Amino acid sequence: MARRWVAGLVAGVLLPLPLAACSAAGDSQDGAAGSGIGKGSADADGDIHGTERAQVTSGGTLRWAVDAKPTTFNVFQPDATEAAERVAGATLPALFTLDKHGKPQLNKDFLRGAEVTATEPRQTVVYKLNPKARWSDGRRLSAADFRAQWKALRGKDKAYWTARNAGYDRIKKISAGQHAGEVEVVFAKPYADWRSLFTPLYPKQAMRSPHAFNDGSRTKLAAVAGPFRVTKADKDRERTVLRRNPHWWGERAKLDRIVLTAVPRDKRAKALATGKIDVADVSGPAAKKIGVANGLGGPQRPDTAKKRSEKQEAKLREKRRRQARAKFGAATAEQLGSYEVRRALDPAYTQLALNGSRGPLSDERVRRAVARAIDREELAKQALEGTGLPDKPLGSHLRMTNQDGYQDNSKAVGGEDIDSAQSLLADAGWKAGGSLAQDRSKAGADEPSAGKHPESAERDGRHKPQGGPAEPPADASSPQAGARAPYRAEAEASVPRLTAAQIAQVVDKPLGLTVSTTTQRGAVLAQAAHARLAAARESGSQRKLSRAESALKTAQKVQATADEMRTLAADPAGAVRSKGGKPLALRFVLPAGKGSAQLRATGERIAQMLDGIGIRTQIKEVSGESYFKDHIATGDYDLALYAWPATAFPATEARPIFAKPQPASDGSLLVEQNYARVGTDRIDQLFEQAAGELDDGARKELMEKADARIWAVAGSLPLYQRPQLIAAKRDLANVGAFGFSTPRYEDIGYRRT
């Protein structure tokens, strides 16, 4: 089935992006450095262990892990889940499926043909239905089903709780065609992505009224037309059971049952270790455990691997298996060893979003400077290391590297270029290496007190300088003033004196008042810590030893801060930039939790890259549950990392993500799904033209122009295509890392032994 981009948000660390438009790219899947999940290079387009149907046994049950239980079986509702997508794919008509490059293909189980038969006076598409295609109640698929779905999804009747209307809102009328089994769809406006419509197709009784649409498919489907049918789910709906459909006219399903089992991502490793599921989308750490249990020791240098004979390789694997049994326990190691990890590039990408609606990033020059300061190639290699998948950065917002029509348009914003980034910041008025106090004085601004700074309480509470709170400015009459006097001339000549409020703004890079005072403080703390450490060792008290070691770490952090300040003093271009008395500091919001470790590592590396051009970042970790709802969707961030799913129909389905925000009557912004809040009229025009352009070549050209302009305004920076890591029982066939391709549920099963 084609993935759809709708308005729903995935809270928490996401990984699969089924129906939801976006997700915290906490990406528990991102990166599997040293994972040992396989040998050699994986197929970026998909890895499902494709097997001829004759080699697949008939019968058996497949337990398939999904993120959450289905709240509805209507995938066009905002609260539809991954489980709903799986159910629809196995039980309902898909008029077009996707191949491994994301190209739509006619599904002959339902259609004998489908084509544009006229463009004037209006675009007309005629669908020729397979005469064998019937609903499970015995009725043939017909124009009545198409018409009911169109009326429910076109957006005119707000009583229907629809998640999207794209494409359906362009249809003028639907009627039976000139010949039996034909459906004629006439469009009011030309629509290039007509192949995206009516997949899945619901029976008319599920769409005929708002009540039927909103509530009728929440616990059951009125009728099905696929290789499987839904049977009664268990009481708490944690398990959704699909059984072979006896009314299916196509090739008979190999499996007796598919059981969709709700297993949260943080519990999947345990579920695999106990053998409770057969296939699951997993994180890098879980994939690594499976690799270790199978005797894989992570990525090997090709020249080293070639030198080993098959016998040596077998001995090495057995040694690693013994180590796995010792590490995990014999039973767990044996169970994990019954799985393998299937890999592909996921039809989704991780991006850096730059909120252009406020602060320094409202200036396009600053956004472009950020873009040019970031080494996307390094970030991609870091995230994809050990997966065996291509680790090149993504060069398009609209197509993936392995997708039909992909073209790298990133040159529109420029590659990594520190000098250019610094020039852009200087042009925007952000000075390097100067005194913030002097800048403020020139600007005539009133310095707020630390207690009244609007964000000081938040920032001081979470981002105190390492090793202790920031030291307040020493008054000339204070006891410390005399002690600091010998150092002032050297320190003040090269490092700006900051107030407490300014220090709070230069977040995540805690600065003392001068190099000398921070160095002095670090030395005193280190001396005291070493004395405590010696005394603790002599006493033999583990508690005292632990406290002494903690004190030493604090001292070392303060000394590291002093080292950084000396570096900044020696290189004014690397010091924090300022404008009007304010430092150039950005709030970087990331999801917390174990599943987002790789995402946070990417964020930390980005912060280091921005240090090089004088931009400081405050990294704020928030719970996965509130990440999108309370921060991304509301615009409460400057920088953020999250993932978007790819689409086979970017002219239509990518438009809301890059549409120019429009002012609402209450003064707020209507952003659709453009959470970076950066857009232009020209980008909107290009999407509108592409959506109505029926010539494939001309439409592709319009999309390339739109993508180049999206890069140029620098509201979002695609970093890399995410890895898709699927744990599957070794003997399972035709299932795994599908990539773009649509699953053929009737072919999934267990290989003959």
Side-chain angles (χ1 to χ4, degrees), residues 289-605:
K289 287 184 178 181
I290 293 172
V292 171
N294 280 287
L296 301 174
Q300 301 290 324
R301 288 176 51 188
D303 55 343
T304 302
K306 288 180 181 178
K307 291 178 181 179
R308 291 198 295 265
S309 66
E310 290 185 12
K311 187 175 181 180
Q312 289 173 322
E313 183 69 28
K315 286 184 177 180
L316 182 58
R317 284 205 176 194
E318 184 53 39
K319 178 182 177 181
R320 290 170 178 162
R321 289 190 183 99
R322 288 197 299 270
Q323 292 172 341
R325 289 193 289 271
K327 183 176 182 180
F328 303 137
T332 297
E334 182 178 359
Q335 185 62 59
L336 289 175
S338 67
Y339 298 92
E340 61 185 7
V341 178
R342 301 175 184 179
R343 303 161 285 168
L345 286 176
D346 198 32
Y349 65 95
T350 294
Q351 67 160 5
L352 174 67
L354 297 85
N355 185 352
S357 67
R358 68 179 198 180
L361 293 178
S362 61
D363 189 327
E364 183 178 306
R365 292 169 295 184
V366 178
R367 297 196 303 272
R368 291 172 66 89
V370 169
R372 294 184 185 185
I374 293 174
D375 186 342
R376 295 188 307 115
E377 186 168 345
E378 178 185 328
L379 296 176
K381 287 182 178 179
Q382 178 193 58
L384 293 164
E385 181 184 3
T387 64
L389 295 164
D391 58 5
K392 297 297 182 182
L394 183 64
S396 172
H397 296 81
L398 305 179
R399 297 188 189 277
M400 302 298 96
T401 55
N402 57 331
Q403 188 174 0
D404 184 54
Y406 172 78
Q407 180 174 313
D408 188 336
N409 296 304
S410 59
K411 60 182 180 295
V413 75
E416 184 196 9
D417 187 341
I418 300 301
D419 291 339
S420 174
Q422 291 175 338
S423 295
L424 284 166
L425 291 177
D427 186 51
W430 293 96
K431 299 179 181 179
S435 169
L436 292 179
Q438 292 174 359
D439 284 350
R440 185 194 65 78
S441 177
K442 290 178 182 178
D446 292 325
E447 181 63 48
S449 67
K452 294 182 179 180
H453 188 278
E455 297 186 69
S456 62
E458 174 188 351
R459 287 170 168 164
D460 291 345
R462 282 193 303 273
H463 297 282
K464 293 178 181 178
Q466 297 171 354
E471 297 176 4
D475 183 81
S477 61
S478 73
Q480 295 177 340
R484 291 177 180 171
Y487 304 97
R488 280 182 180 169
E490 172 192 357
E492 292 182 355
S494 56
V495 177
R497 292 286 298 276
L498 308 181
T499 67
Q502 289 169 333
I503 290 172
Q505 286 181 292
V506 188
V507 288
D508 276 0
K509 291 293 177 183
L511 306 179
L513 298 179
T514 64
V515 174
S516 57
T517 55
T518 305
T519 301
Q520 184 181 53
R521 180 168 178 263
V524 171
L525 289 174
Q527 184 178 16
H530 282 295
R532 290 181 64 180
L533 193 60
R537 287 171 177 166
E538 186 176 347
S539 69
S541 169
Q542 188 61 40
R543 184 178 181 184
K544 290 182 179 180
L545 182 63
S546 177
R547 289 181 174 179
E549 290 174 343
S550 178
L552 182 59
K553 288 181 180 179
T554 296
Q556 291 170 340
K557 289 179 180 179
V558 175
Q559 290 175 321
T561 297
D563 290 341
E564 179 189 359
M565 292 177 66
R566 276 191 291 274
T567 300
L568 295 178
D571 179 15
V576 60
R577 290 174 177 269
S578 63
K579 180 180 181 180
K582 296 180 180 180
L584 181 47
L586 302 176
R587 193 162 177 260
F588 201 161
V589 179
L590 295 170
K594 293 182 179 179
S596 300
Q598 174 58 49
L599 193 72
R600 291 194 297 275
T602 298
E604 291 283 359
R605 190 69 193 95

Side-chain angles (χ1 to χ4, degrees), residues 5-9 21-22 351 353-358 628-629 631-637 642 644 652-680 683-684 687 715-716:
W5 301 31
V6 300
L9 295 173
C22 56
Q351 67 160 5
L354 297 85
N355 185 352
S357 67
R358 68 179 198 180
F628 267 97
K629 180 181 65 175
H631 297 278
I632 307 305
T634 63
D636 184 24
Y637 74 95
Y642 53 87
W644 277 118
T652 301
E653 297 182 344
R655 186 206 63 80
I657 296 171
F658 306 108
K660 181 180 178 181
Q662 300 297 325
S665 57
D666 61 359
S668 63
L669 277 181
L670 296 175
V671 301
E672 296 193 58
Q673 291 170 274
N674 185 353
Y675 302 116
R677 295 158 171 82
V678 175
T680 69
I683 291 173
D684 290 352
F687 271 107
S716 63

